[in-house]
Amino acid sequence: MTELNLISAVDAAIPAEPFICRHLIAGEWRDSASGETYDRMSPAHGCLVSRAALGAEADAEAAIVAAREAFDSGVWSRISGKERATILLRVADLIEGNVERMALLETLESGKPISQSRAEVSGAADLWRYAASLARTMHGDSHNTLGPDMLGVVVKDPIGVVSMITPWNFPFWILSQKLPFALAAGCTTVIKPSELTPSTTVMLGELLFEAGMPAGVVNIVLGYGASVGSVMTTHEAVDMVTFTGSTAVGKAISAAASSTLKKVALELGGKNPQVVFPDADIESAADAITFGVYFNTGQCCNSSSRIIVHEDIVDEVVERVVELSKRVAFGDPLDPRTQVGAIISVQHQGKIDDYVRAAVTEGAEIALGGGPMTVPGLEGQFYQPTVVRGVSPEMAIAREEVFGPVLSVLTFRTMDEAVALTNDASYGLSAGVWSENVHTCLEFSTRAQAGTVWTNTWMDGFPELSFGGVKQSGQGREIGRYGLEEFFEIKTLVMRIGRTREPWVRPE
Ligand code: NDP
């Protein structure tokens, strides 16, 4: 194996007992109606992390009924923005006070580095604060230009009961991209985290109690998509589904929700290119490419898993990325120095490796890595930082979400070719451009089909800036003002001033 910066197992305190996760339904912690549970083992350490109630249709049904009753009672949907904001701000403070506890569970369940879990949990508190500010400042429109005797008012009502289905790659961050915004709008919710990472969602449930959230406003059901998730996407009492995960499941959810015409917001996959022009600052671009592909072990919808580099500089860029890749700290997620941790499951590791093997069979070359690796002292699954050259646009590794620490390198000669390669994808989540020429950056940014385009940077995000994809990367937006708007139903009020209306029926 190529020489890498490997961090061996550290002597860190892993809790002796598993964290117990129960459903949160109508303000009570409940076991499953069936009494069944399931265990989550750490993908890096092989130890038991959590034991969760295994929900099924009956548990999902009870949670939906609780959310419906809470919504219709007005206990949350009809209170003032100030009252909602007060609770959301308390939640933000409580999240900050529990960073260490939550980050440890997030790391043990997902295999991501502890420094990253800490940053994600504390960063999520800022999403709750920003959503609180929107709860007080959102408003509709008024129209007094309709004639002297008319007034039109467009109000924004909370859409109702929202099902939230979240994945394992950023369990707490993705939940915080959805939940505080839905709550700011006045909605009630049923949440299903991935069965691989239930703990921080349950911990948040505890914090919501402490913050004074009324019973039934936020409900959590644990278990699998096929049983719990399918009820959450088809039930008559649910008004909207918001989902983050794979495009395949997003399509299935969209089809399931169509029988009751629920609104569906989808944040799906991406095949996000960073495009490097010959005049780019290569040192910065190489660093951002290294970050873009290995962050969260590449298990990231925004992973920059392909780069499109001008052919005059491709050798220099690849050489630099390979050098930097060898310096990235891969290994025990509990060591604060670690930058890249474990792969979420054995099956997923196999899927990543299949993409790499298929590319090699089709003629691509491995410039670095290219297979699983062991980390001294750990039982879990890890994959080497991998750079694949000579990739052609029709190969699966260039078109599909690999969701691992694997970079594909493609080349271009002209702006038209760079744009064509960027847009030759079923996805359209994000893209990036590297050039010192503002016209090059602007032309690329305006022609790239993507929900976000970064210029001379990668993956910077802020609560104020909305996020989402075009094409098969999804529909709807999260965070920012547009993220809040998703959770509204628009209602128009038309009012006549005085008794000026001409009768429709002619007087006898
Ligand atoms: P999925 O899309 O299968 O799962 C995401 C969530 O949806 C989980 O909570 C899952 O439940 C739930 N779910 C699954 N099927 C249904 C259904 N029919 N109805 C309602 N909910 C459902 O992602 P995976 O975890 O299986 O990962 C597979 C691939 O998806 C990855 O390799 C990656 O390519 C992509 N992915 C993309 C993400 C992104 O951020 N864009 C995030 C995660 C994955 P459960 O798993 O508990 O059964």
Side-chain angles (χ1 to χ4, degrees):
M1 190 172 68
T2 333
E3 199 139 284
L4 300 172
N5 181 5
L6 269 191
I7 306 275
S8 310
V10 290
D11 198 12
I14 294 180
E17 297 296 322
F19 182 71
I20 302 296
C21 301
R22 293 193 174 85
H23 310 299
L24 175 58
I25 299 174
E28 289 170 11
W29 293 106
R30 296 191 193 169
D31 291 323
S32 288
S34 67
E36 285 184 79
T37 60
Y38 65 93
D39 289 345
R40 173 62 177 152
M41 311 299 286
S42 165
H45 301 89
C47 59
L48 175 62
V49 186
S50 56
R51 177 160 294 151
L54 179 62
E57 285 78 0
D59 308 290
E61 170 80 29
I64 292 167
V65 168
R68 185 78 255 165
E69 285 176 3
F71 185 84
D72 293 343
S73 75
V75 66
W76 185 255
S77 55
R78 289 202 286 274
I79 63 174
S80 69
K82 177 182 168 182
E83 287 169 289
R84 283 185 211 141
T86 303
I87 293 194
L88 297 185
L89 290 171
R90 261 186 232 146
V91 176
D93 291 344
L94 287 165
I95 292 170
E96 273 177 346
N98 283 272
V99 169
E100 279 308 311
R101 212 177 132 241
M102 296 174 91
L104 179 61
L105 266 286
E106 194 86 323
T107 284
L108 289 173
E109 276 183 346
S110 71
K112 68 176 61 184
I114 189 73
S115 58
Q116 190 190 316
S117 293
R118 287 179 183 136
E120 266 175 53
V121 175
S122 53
D126 195 34
L127 292 172
W128 285 78
R129 291 214 170 89
Y130 177 71
S133 75
L134 295 178
R136 296 193 72 167
T137 52
M138 66 190 187
H139 56 79
D141 306 311
S142 59
H143 296 258
N144 61 351
T145 52
L146 309 172
D149 54 354
M150 294 302 293
L151 180 64
V153 178
V154 177
V155 296
K156 293 176 179 177
D157 282 339
I159 198 164
V161 174
V162 181
S163 287
M164 300 187 173
I165 301 175
T166 56
W168 44 261
N169 54 346
F170 297 93
F172 192 66
W173 179 264
I174 288 174
L175 179 59
S176 297
Q177 291 199 152
K178 299 176 189 290
L179 182 59
F181 294 85
L183 292 173
C187 296
T188 62
T189 61
V190 178
I191 302 162
K192 190 200 90 62
S194 164
E195 92 283 356
L196 299 174
T197 52
S199 293
T200 49
T201 301
V202 169
M203 286 174 158
L204 177 68
E206 295 169 356
L207 302 183
L208 292 169
F209 260 128
E210 219 178 314
M213 185 67 72
V217 173
V218 177
N219 303 273
I220 301 168
V221 188
L222 309 167
Y224 289 92
S227 47
V228 173
S230 60
V231 179
M232 290 169 65
T233 53
T234 52
H235 201 289
E236 284 274 356
V238 171
D239 301 292
M240 174 178 173
V241 182
T242 169
F243 167 79
T244 299
S246 62
T247 294
V249 173
K251 287 178 185 175
I253 285 177
S254 194
S258 68
S259 62
T260 47
L261 287 183
K262 296 180 201 323
K263 180 171 180 180
V264 178
L266 302 171
E267 206 279 276
L268 308 174
K271 191 72 197 173
N272 315 296
Q274 295 200 56
V275 177
V276 190
F277 283 84
D279 65 338
D281 169 353
I282 291 183
E283 196 52 35
S284 299
D287 185 76
I289 289 164
T290 310
F291 164 61
V293 68
Y294 303 130
F295 178 68
N296 214 47
T297 332
Q299 301 172 126
C300 183
C301 55
N302 256 335
S303 170
S304 139
S305 57
R306 59 178 178 142
I307 54 172
I308 303 172
V309 186
H310 193 278
E311 60 182 25
D312 289 351
I313 54 163
V314 67
D315 290 338
E316 191 183 349
V317 170
V318 170
E319 198 178 305
R320 190 67 188 131
V321 169
V322 166
E323 274 168 22
L324 293 176
S325 302
K326 290 179 189 166
R327 284 174 28 206
V328 176
F330 276 63
D332 188 345
L334 287 175
D335 188 316
R337 293 169 301 168
T338 298
Q339 293 170 286
V340 183
I343 301 295
I344 191 77
S345 64
V346 175
Q347 295 79 349
H348 189 57
Q349 170 113 312
K351 186 181 140 189
I352 296 168
D353 204 41
D354 287 347
Y355 276 110
V356 175
R357 301 274 71 80
V360 171
T361 307
E362 289 170 77
E365 295 157 46
I366 303 286
L368 179 73
M373 64 180 171
T374 47
V375 170
L378 293 181
E379 290 173 26
Q381 57 284 337
F382 293 83
Y383 204 84
Q384 296 173 50
T386 296
V387 177
V388 186
R389 283 194 73 158
V391 170
S392 54
E394 67 288 348
M395 292 180 186
I397 203 167
R399 310 192 71 78
E400 294 172 21
E401 239 189 347
V402 175
F403 237 58
V406 177
L407 180 69
S408 293
V409 183
L410 296 106
T411 56
F412 74 96
R413 283 182 301 273
T414 63
M415 168 67 83
D416 283 350
E417 262 178 40
V419 170
L421 282 169
T422 296
N423 294 342
D424 178 23
S426 55
Y427 294 115
L429 190 59
S430 57
V433 55
W434 290 88
S435 166
E436 294 295 288
N437 182 328
V438 68
H439 301 289
T440 303
C441 295
L442 284 173
E443 181 175 352
F444 178 84
S445 302
T446 49
R447 292 176 66 188
Q449 295 168 345
T452 299
V453 182
W454 282 288
T455 295
N456 293 326
T457 186
W458 188 257
M459 235 188 308
D460 286 316
F462 301 88
E464 291 84 349
L465 301 184
S466 293
F467 173 65
V470 301
K471 302 201 279 186
Q472 293 190 32
S473 287
Q475 57 194 33
R477 291 292 176 266
E478 296 201 330
I479 64 176
R481 186 163 59 79
Y482 297 103
L484 177 78
E485 299 282 336
E486 296 290 333
F487 297 107
F488 287 131
E489 197 65 89
I490 301 296
K491 187 178 202 175
T492 302
L493 310 179
V494 185
M495 293 168 270
R496 187 170 287 280
I497 303 166
R499 308 238 171 254
T500 57
R501 184 175 175 276
E502 279 291 311
W504 186 62
V505 181
R506 289 194 195 93
E508 287 178 273

